[in-house]
Amino acid sequence: MESYPEKMWRFPCSYRENLLIVAALMLGGLAAQLVIGPFDYFFLHYPVNVVLGALILLLALLGRPFSRAPLFRWLGSVPWAVSLILGLMVLSLIMGLTPRLLHLPPEPDFFLRLGLAQMTSCWPFVLIYLLILLSLALVTVRRLRFKRGGLLFFLNHGGLWLLMAAAGLGAADLRRHVMYVNEGQVEWRVYGENKEVLELPLAIRLDDFDLDFYSPKLALVDRHSGRPQPEGRPDWHQIDPGRVDGRLGQWEIRVLEYIHQAVPGEGGGYREIPMPASTPAAHVLARNLASGEIRQGWVLSGNRYVPLSLLALDDNLVVAMTQPEPRRFSSKIKVYTREGQEREAALEVNHPLKIGPWMIYQYGYDQASGRLSPYSSFELVYDPWLLPVQAGLILLAAGALGLIWQGRRRRAAV
Amino acid sequence: MTWTEFNYLAPPAVGLWWLSAAAVMRGRRRLAEAALLAGLAVFTVFVAAFWRDLGRPPMRTMGETRLWYSLFLSGAGYLAYRRWPYPWLLAFSALLASVFAIINLLKPEIHSQALMPALQSVYFIPHVTVYMLAYALLGVAAMAGLVQLRRLKRGQADPELYAFLDNVVYVGFGFLMLGLLSGAAWAKEAWGHYWSWDPKETWALVTASAYLLYIHMRLKDIRPRLTLGLLSLALLLLMITWLGVSYLPSAQGSVHVYS
């Protein structure tokens, strides 16, 4: 295939040469890291990222009329692509094997100064990423033609370019903050990276926070060690109206009554009252399989207002209830923007609110207090490059469907 | 149905799959296909009833995702065998499907009714399903890659097998990408960003890169043995992404560690 005059059109064409170049680039990147420190994404803020993206595209466009030029042939060649992918794979493998550090200690040792624990701002990674962008742009533009095979190639390579360009170059413009809002109050301040107070162009009023939980499980617990029994392979009984009978170790149990939102009633019992201070309660009957002994009583995991209750079986064992796991939690909020826009919404995990360029997410609550949490927290994300990212995702998904549909087209000469 | 009934329904399915593997290797193709489909039917009935009684898709815990691996491995193996009638293909799929059923028989993990809020999403079922399909197909590809590697060492690669291999990898990689992309879209809904370099995400990138390497290296017929060997390495990486990440030191605080 490569039957051009040897001397005139020389470019690195073997895997060995290309891999050496990638390795040299990564080593050079590490050296740069040691000399000038990690790559600073601040540098990529708009409009620098747009200019850089445009430059890459311009180079790629130049590659079309000059497609025979050795530089462009090389940057669009298979061995170069393979070497870049391998480079990315090695770097992400390092990232996948080692814990990530959010902040470097004040006096980092040599290994930390290489920046591999903060890979995304490490020079080798940034270099490989940019070269992949260039390569993708080049081959996408070069192969741009209106034929079926050309379409699939465009979807996969052009889609990936758009996604990587918008996500990578746009990363500098991304802002993410967590805001804590007390019930009944309005908040517009968040803490920055260095604990400084930042004021955002939008404010949130929390009207109500609510949490619903799954019915909990019952377990046999050793009252001395506090560990679930039988040791090592504990039994659990999921409280379920469809299945009242169960077995925990040597005890057969039956849930006589289950109250999802219980508060203490008269005479030591419990009754259903849906209020934040309520807690799940189960009336349990236990029978020992060997001796036939019977125990009966209420079991509660309890909260700040309703005390814990266990059912003692013998000197060692008790039946206890696990802490209920949240089914869903939601916050009724009202959002005000600086421009005077107002929006009411009920936020839930997986159901964020989009307002202008901001997305607001249900983030968390005071887990120790559960339903009684005095606050709800929200994540606010500002991502002006979301649209091209989504477009890239859609192109790539279409490309993936194309791969599934047609597999690898067999060509005449392989 | 619960895991208790699994103890009664899984052994017949495993038996049928073994019968299928044995039959196809002895040239009894009709029997092999029938046995495989019968095993698949038994397994499907369990999964469907289990799903119904669970009140949520059984895709959360490791044991539950293994159910789908068995299901899709036998299903995808059957379809691939119909398309490319290599006996070892059916045998391999049937045996591997039974392996995951047996793991579930021997090590049923604690299963909870609860589905944490982040997992309650329309993306949940498609995300896990396409991944299971991808795992099944890429598992088949690794196996076929080893067979081709042996042929190559004996001197002659099978062009038909290459065509099959490339097709399976392209289709499997397509599903892998769909899994990754649906995961990114879901992450944007649930966690505020489509890519956070969570260890599971990083490993998904490593795995995808390995298959990209294979796909691109196949474009030129340089180093064919290395290229074929890549399929086994890639499957290993895939298994680490799926099962191993939780045990890595890098996974402290990962949002993807199964309960």
Side-chain angles (χ1 to χ4, degrees):
Chain A
M1 254 184 266
E2 277 112 36
S3 56
Y4 33 81
E6 266 292 311
K7 279 181 186 161
M8 263 179 88
W9 303 109
R10 265 189 86 91
F11 69 91
C13 57
S14 74
Y15 280 145
R16 192 185 302 257
E17 286 168 293
N18 279 284
L19 284 172
L20 273 175
I21 294 172
V22 166
L25 276 169
M26 299 211 295
L27 283 178
L30 283 180
Q33 181 91 10
L34 288 176
V35 177
I36 52 179
F39 177 80
D40 191 352
Y41 274 84
F42 185 77
F43 163 76
L44 275 181
H45 267 302
Y46 178 84
V48 178
N49 45 14
V50 175
V51 172
L52 191 59
L55 270 178
I56 292 174
L57 272 186
L58 193 72
L59 259 175
L61 286 172
L62 274 178
R64 200 157 160 133
F66 297 106
S67 64
R68 306 292 300 175
L71 178 71
F72 292 123
R73 284 197 65 120
W74 167 50
L75 290 177
S77 71
V78 168
W80 182 239
V82 167
S83 308
L84 285 179
I85 298 169
L86 187 66
L88 180 70
M89 186 174 142
V90 168
L91 293 177
S92 27
L93 203 56
I94 296 174
M95 206 183 330
L97 286 169
T98 53
R100 201 157 37 133
L101 276 186
L102 284 178
H103 298 285
L104 280 184
E107 280 173 29
D109 56 23
F110 177 77
F111 184 74
L112 284 178
R113 278 173 55 215
L114 287 177
L116 296 175
Q118 295 167 309
M119 186 62 87
T120 46
S121 54
C122 184
W123 279 95
F125 178 87
V126 175
L127 283 175
I128 296 285
Y129 197 99
L130 287 174
L131 285 168
I132 289 178
L133 275 184
L134 180 61
S135 228
L136 277 172
L138 207 69
V139 294
T140 306
V141 171
R142 194 175 69 190
R143 287 273 295 259
L144 209 54
R145 59 180 78 120
F146 298 95
K147 285 203 305 200
R148 210 168 130 234
L151 175 67
L152 191 50
F153 189 91
F154 169 78
L155 289 174
N156 281 323
H157 294 81
L160 185 58
W161 184 85
L162 190 58
L163 179 64
M164 284 181 70
L169 302 179
D173 294 327
L174 181 77
R175 287 171 67 192
R176 299 176 76 171
H177 303 289
V178 176
M179 183 187 274
Y180 295 85
V181 190
N182 287 320
E183 205 159 298
Q185 293 187 353
V186 180
E187 185 60 88
W188 62 95
R189 293 156 304 182
V190 294
Y191 289 108
E193 260 178 61
N194 306 313
K195 301 277 175 214
E196 75 277 24
V197 174
L198 303 172
E199 297 196 357
L200 294 187
L202 49 145
I204 298 177
R205 188 182 78 200
L206 176 61
D207 289 328
D208 188 30
F209 172 75
D210 193 23
L211 182 145
D212 184 20
F213 47 84
Y214 288 102
S215 35
K217 286 175 271 198
L218 295 175
L220 213 53
V221 175
D222 182 308
R223 72 164 90 206
H224 304 296
S225 71
R227 280 206 287 270
Q229 302 293 320
E231 196 82 38
R233 206 179 160 165
D235 286 337
W236 306 92
H237 177 74
Q238 172 70 52
I239 293 177
D240 178 352
R243 213 159 48 105
V244 294
D245 292 312
R247 201 181 137 178
L248 295 173
Q250 288 308 304
W251 292 80
E252 202 176 62
I253 59 153
R254 166 172 287 184
V255 179
L256 300 171
E257 188 184 357
Y258 171 68
I259 306 176
H260 197 58
Q261 304 190 60
V263 294
E266 287 151 30
Y270 295 87
R271 59 200 176 106
E272 171 111 40
I273 294 187
M275 56 186 280
S278 66
T279 183
H283 195 198
V284 177
L285 181 77
R287 192 176 72 89
N288 191 297
L289 287 168
S291 65
E293 279 178 275
I294 287 188
R295 301 278 184 275
Q296 186 178 338
W298 284 91
V299 181
L300 284 83
S301 53
N303 63 20
R304 203 190 301 158
Y305 297 101
V306 184
L308 166 105
S309 173
L310 305 166
L311 174 61
L313 298 175
D314 55 33
D315 290 344
N316 291 321
L317 294 174
V318 293
V319 177
M321 182 181 274
T322 60
Q323 282 295 333
E325 291 178 71
R327 182 200 299 271
R328 56 181 283 267
F329 47 100
S330 64
S331 303
K332 282 208 183 71
I333 58 165
K334 186 159 185 179
V335 186
Y336 308 86
T337 69
R338 203 172 265 170
E339 295 77 38
Q341 218 182 331
E342 291 182 13
R343 280 273 287 284
E344 284 189 41
L347 284 194
E348 256 184 71
V349 177
N350 271 316
H351 298 280
L353 170 74
K354 186 165 170 50
I355 183 162
W358 289 86
M359 299 270 279
I360 306 175
Y361 295 81
Q362 173 70 61
Y363 186 73
Y365 56 94
D366 179 15
Q367 298 204 350
S369 310
R371 293 181 78 185
L372 295 164
S373 172
Y375 69 83
S376 178
S377 56
F378 306 99
E379 181 164 31
L380 291 92
V381 181
Y382 170 81
D383 186 357
W385 298 104
L386 185 59
L387 212 61
V389 166
Q390 286 169 333
L393 283 178
I394 289 168
L395 290 182
L396 267 181
L401 286 175
L403 289 178
I404 293 167
W405 178 250
Q406 73 175 37
R408 182 176 180 193
R409 280 263 201 86
R410 279 212 259 178
R411 286 184 300 177
V414 173
Chain B
M1 263 188 225
T2 65
W3 286 107
T4 316
E5 282 80 26
F6 186 74
N7 293 328
Y8 304 107
L9 280 177
V14 167
L16 284 163
W17 285 333
W18 284 357
L19 175 67
S20 169
V24 78
M25 294 316 280
R26 285 194 168 75
R28 306 274 308 270
R29 305 182 46 167
R30 297 289 286 278
L31 175 63
E33 286 186 30
L36 185 95
L37 287 179
L40 181 62
V42 172
F43 215 80
T44 308
V45 165
F46 172 76
V47 172
F50 186 51
W51 183 338
R52 188 197 60 197
D53 294 345
L54 214 52
R56 63 172 174 83
M59 292 182 173
R60 184 189 178 200
T61 62
M62 289 313 304
E64 287 166 10
T65 53
R66 279 199 290 261
L67 289 178
W68 295 94
Y69 201 83
S70 290
L71 196 70
F72 286 129
L73 206 52
S74 55
Y78 175 74
L79 291 178
Y81 174 71
R82 289 300 298 246
R83 177 81 178 80
W84 310 94
Y86 295 97
W88 54 263
L89 184 61
L90 194 72
F92 168 72
S93 314
L95 288 179
L96 204 56
S98 70
V99 164
F100 287 98
I102 291 170
I103 293 178
N104 268 355
L105 279 172
L106 297 181
K107 195 171 170 272
E109 286 160 61
I110 302 301
H111 294 94
S112 132
Q113 185 88 17
L115 195 57
M116 58 191 266
L119 291 184
Q120 300 166 17
S121 161
V122 289
Y123 288 106
F124 187 31
I125 297 173
H127 178 69
V128 178
T129 307
V130 293
Y131 263 131
M132 291 299 131
L133 273 169
Y135 294 173
L137 286 161
L138 296 171
V140 168
M143 176 73 183
L146 289 178
V147 171
Q148 184 75 310
L149 203 56
R150 221 181 56 192
R151 297 229 170 125
L152 204 62
K153 275 185 183 156
R154 286 181 185 165
Q156 185 74 108
D158 177 357
E160 278 279 296
L161 185 56
Y162 256 139
F164 167 74
L165 250 178
D166 290 347
N167 271 328
V168 173
V169 171
Y170 274 53
V171 176
F173 182 73
F175 280 117
L176 197 70
M177 284 311 287
L178 285 183
L180 196 71
L181 297 171
S182 61
W186 183 3
K188 181 66 196 166
E189 291 286 290
W191 293 309
H193 203 44
Y194 43 85
W195 191 270
S196 308
W197 296 105
D198 183 275
K200 198 104 173 176
E201 295 169 3
T202 305
W203 276 93
L205 173 66
V206 173
T207 309
S209 310
Y211 285 105
L212 277 179
L213 277 182
Y214 172 84
I215 287 172
H216 286 84
M217 284 176 82
R218 281 285 299 140
L219 297 176
K220 302 233 167 206
D221 205 13
I222 320 172
R223 301 196 167 262
R225 287 190 192 181
L226 190 67
T227 310
L228 287 169
L230 253 179
L231 286 177
S232 297
L233 174 72
L235 187 70
L236 179 72
L237 295 172
L238 191 65
M239 291 294 127
I240 295 177
T241 309
W242 180 27
L243 307 164
V245 167
S246 318
Y247 304 105
L248 293 174
S250 54
Q252 294 153 357
S254 166
V255 294
H256 286 99
V257 175
Y258 288 85
S259 54

